[in-house]
């Protein structure tokens, strides 16, 4: 006999709606997992209450119920974690569904369908919307068979329809949250790119201004001082006595001033290194769900804006590819100077079955490097993709 409490479908909707609101105010995935745990605890609490207060229909089911409930809980936590690979989390996600349906077969309780509401809300993290809708049809058909054939009831269409609407609601709410998160991540990515580019442009402007001042000092002041020195030398040969001594002192001061100007011009030109380290630091700051290790050699010096910009763009594209495709939690970025060239590598702890075909991101990276005389190489390290790049400095 199936336990039929009309308030439980409404309770499930209220619980899930409340938890969806939590996801909008707390950080993801912590809020979603807290919501799922809260709902799971409420449902299992009611299940055990019904089991201990009912006189029939639950004989000998306590131990398997506890085992399946704990398996469902562990699978839910493992599927919602971020440290395991995508394949492992998908497997645990499947175990979560099987254990939820097994509980439905074991216990004559309609509101156990709430567990598959939790499951379908998490499914959008693993599958497309179309796949989730197909899975929803399969799940609701399974529940129909369980309630109508395994636990015969006189009115199975109404609860199935109600819970199907709650499943759809969970899908739409989860999709809205995922789309909002993606939009937020894209906004943050664009902001980091903008700040890094702004810093690089500021450095380029500072370098250009320094070069202009050095050129003006050399071309204007240096020219006039040279002319003054020559005129004083001529005047010295044409003078006698105390006047000649004064002119000689003035010519010595003019030569000293010309030497100081030349040293200042050389210093301005020699200190043309770009502070691209700060641009990279701004680019990798606060990247969500990814720990970034940035290692820049102390002796690496870049004074060409095009090279610095190419490096920043390639690092940005490497981080974006890792976030979108690698299912990684850690990324390592290393830059150094060797044999007159800038060398850098980017790799993560994700999984890549083989060196992938180049998409728009990798093609854009290769083209950007080629414009500054560099080259890109794709390798694999510990089953993950590694990007190796080299940009010669002698050409610039």
């Amino acid at each position: 006999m199936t336990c039929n409490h009309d308030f439980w479908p409404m309770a499930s909707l209220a619980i899930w709606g409340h938890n969806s609101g939590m996801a909008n105010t707390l950080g993801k995935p912590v809020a979603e997992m807290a919501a799922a745990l809260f709902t799971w605890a409420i449902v299992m609490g009611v299940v055990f209450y019904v089991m201990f207060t009912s006189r029939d229909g639950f004989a000998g089911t306590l131990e398997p119920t506890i085992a399946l409930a704990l398996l469902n809980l562990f699978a839910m936590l493992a599927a919602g974690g971020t440290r395991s690979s995508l394949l492992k989390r998908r497997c645990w996600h499947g175990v979560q569904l099987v254990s939820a349906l097994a509980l439905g077969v074991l216990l004559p309780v309609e509101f156990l369908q709430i567990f598959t509401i939790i499951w379908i809300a998490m499914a959008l993290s693993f599958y497309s919307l179309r796949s989730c809708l197909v899975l929803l049809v399969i799940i609701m058909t399974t529940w129909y068979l369980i309630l109508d054939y395994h636990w015969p009831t006189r009115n199975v269409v109404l609860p199935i329809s109600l819970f199907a609407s709650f499943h759809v609601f969970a899908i739409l709410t989860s999709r809205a949250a995922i789309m909002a998160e993606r939009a937020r991540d894209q906004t943050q990515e664009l902001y980091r790119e903008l700040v890094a580019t702004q810093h690089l442009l500021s450095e380029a402007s500072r370098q250009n201004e320094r070069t202009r001042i050095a050129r003006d000092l050399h071309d204007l002041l240096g020219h006039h001082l040279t002319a003054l020195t020559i005129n004083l030398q001529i005047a010295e040969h044409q003078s006698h006595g105390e006047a000649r001594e004064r002119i000689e002192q003035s010519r010595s001061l003019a030569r000293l001033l010309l030497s100081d100007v030349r040293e200042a011009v050389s210093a301005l030109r020699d200190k043309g290194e770009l502070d691209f380290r700060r641009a990279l630091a701004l680019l990798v700051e606060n990247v969500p769900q990814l720990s970034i290790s940035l290692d820049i050699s102390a002796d690496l010096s870049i004074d060409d804006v095009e090279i610095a910009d190419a490096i920043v763009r390639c690092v940005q594209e490497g981080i974006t590819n890792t976030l979108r495709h690698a299912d990684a939690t850690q990324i390592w970025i290393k830059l150094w100077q060797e044999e007159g060239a800038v060398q850098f590598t980017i790799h993560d702890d994700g999984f890549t079955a083989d060196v992938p075909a180049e998409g728009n991101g990798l093609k854009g990276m290769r083209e950007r490097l080629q414009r500054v005389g560099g080259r890109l190489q794709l390798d694999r390290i510990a089953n993950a993709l590694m990007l190796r790049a080299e940009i010669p400095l002698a050409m610039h």
Side-chain angles (χ1 to χ4, degrees):
M1 179 179 178
T2 306
C3 292
N4 191 356
H5 300 276
D6 293 338
F7 71 96
W8 283 113
M10 297 307 297
S12 70
L13 178 59
I15 292 170
W16 193 259
H18 169 73
N19 293 336
S20 298
M22 289 174 59
N24 291 328
T25 57
L26 298 178
K28 187 182 178 182
V30 176
E32 289 188 351
M33 187 53 61
L37 288 172
F38 178 76
T39 306
W40 183 93
I42 292 293
V43 173
M44 287 311 303
V46 175
V47 166
F48 288 124
Y49 172 79
V50 172
M51 290 180 67
F52 287 119
T53 57
S54 179
R55 295 184 177 180
D56 56 349
F58 297 98
T61 60
L62 180 60
E63 291 79 6
T65 297
I66 294 175
L68 286 173
L70 292 177
L71 177 61
N72 182 266
L73 175 63
F74 183 82
M76 179 177 64
L77 293 172
T82 57
R83 294 298 179 182
S84 301
S85 66
L86 180 61
L87 179 60
K88 289 182 179 179
R89 288 190 285 125
R90 277 181 172 173
C91 290
W92 281 116
H93 192 237
V95 172
Q96 181 186 352
L97 175 61
V98 172
S99 60
L101 295 174
L103 282 170
V105 173
L106 182 65
L107 303 175
V109 180
E110 289 176 355
F111 57 80
L112 284 171
Q113 295 177 67
I114 296 174
F115 281 168
T116 52
I117 295 178
I118 299 174
W119 186 90
I120 202 70
M122 296 174 63
L124 278 171
S125 299
F126 303 100
Y127 310 105
S128 65
L129 177 61
R130 180 178 298 180
S131 299
C132 288
L133 292 175
V134 173
L135 289 169
L136 174 59
V137 173
I138 297 173
I139 290 171
M140 297 317 299
T141 301
T142 304
W143 276 120
Y144 178 85
L145 295 174
I146 291 174
L147 295 178
D148 195 45
Y149 292 97
H150 188 67
W151 301 109
T153 181
R154 287 176 294 179
N155 186 11
V156 71
V157 176
L158 180 59
I160 287 292
S161 300
L162 286 173
F163 278 106
S165 66
F166 298 153
H167 282 75
V168 173
F169 173 75
I171 289 177
L172 296 178
T173 303
S174 182
R175 176 173 171 78
I178 289 174
M179 297 301 292
E181 183 192 17
R182 288 177 180 173
R184 184 176 64 250
D185 290 345
Q186 289 175 356
T187 302
Q188 292 176 350
E189 180 181 346
L190 290 174
Y191 174 75
R192 292 192 303 271
E193 177 186 354
L194 177 62
V195 171
T197 302
Q198 184 180 25
H199 177 77
L200 204 58
L201 288 175
S202 176
E203 285 292 300
S205 177
R206 184 169 62 87
Q207 185 189 55
N208 290 336
E209 183 65 14
R210 191 168 51 236
T211 302
R212 184 189 66 79
I213 293 173
R215 184 174 58 248
D216 290 346
L217 285 174
H218 180 271
D219 294 344
L220 299 177
L221 188 57
H223 172 74
H224 293 319
L225 286 173
T226 300
L228 177 61
T229 302
I230 293 173
N231 288 333
L232 288 172
Q233 184 178 8
I234 295 173
E236 180 183 355
H237 290 299
Q238 296 176 351
S239 302
H240 302 280
E242 185 177 352
R244 181 169 183 171
E245 292 178 0
R246 296 289 184 183
I247 293 174
E248 184 179 356
Q249 291 176 0
S250 297
R251 189 164 71 91
S252 297
L253 289 174
R255 286 200 303 266
L256 180 61
L257 182 57
L258 180 60
S259 176
D260 290 342
V261 168
R262 287 172 175 170
E263 288 180 4
V265 170
S266 298
L268 283 171
R269 291 187 179 277
D270 291 341
K271 293 180 180 178
E273 179 183 351
L274 289 168
D275 184 17
F276 74 100
R277 289 175 170 82
R278 178 60 178 165
L280 288 177
L282 292 169
L283 188 66
V284 304
E285 191 176 44
N286 298 324
V287 176
Q289 301 178 10
L290 191 62
S291 176
I292 301 179
S293 174
L294 180 62
D295 180 12
I296 304 177
S297 176
D299 62 349
L300 178 58
S301 174
I302 296 177
D303 57 7
D304 188 277
V305 178
E306 287 189 72
I307 292 180
D309 181 67
I311 293 174
V312 170
R313 301 301 179 193
C314 288
V315 169
Q316 173 196 348
E317 186 60 38
I319 295 173
T320 301
N321 283 340
T322 295
L323 287 171
R324 291 179 180 175
H325 308 298
D327 188 43
T329 59
Q330 177 84 24
I331 184 172
W332 293 269
I333 303 168
K334 183 177 181 180
L335 297 96
W336 72 98
Q337 187 170 333
E338 182 179 336
E339 297 180 356
V342 180
Q343 313 271 350
F344 68 89
T345 60
I346 304 173
H347 72 280
D348 53 55
D349 62 350
F351 177 80
T352 302
D354 199 357
V355 175
E358 292 189 13
N360 292 329
L362 290 177
K363 286 181 180 178
M365 187 184 299
R366 188 180 296 278
E367 292 169 357
R368 191 179 298 275
L369 289 171
Q370 287 175 348
R371 282 199 293 269
V372 292
R375 59 189 180 90
L376 177 68
Q377 181 180 348
L378 304 182
D379 292 323
R380 293 180 71 230
I381 177 172
N383 294 323
L385 179 66
M386 169 177 277
L387 305 179
R388 298 179 181 270
E390 177 181 314
I391 305 175
L393 296 174
M395 296 177 60
H396 300 267

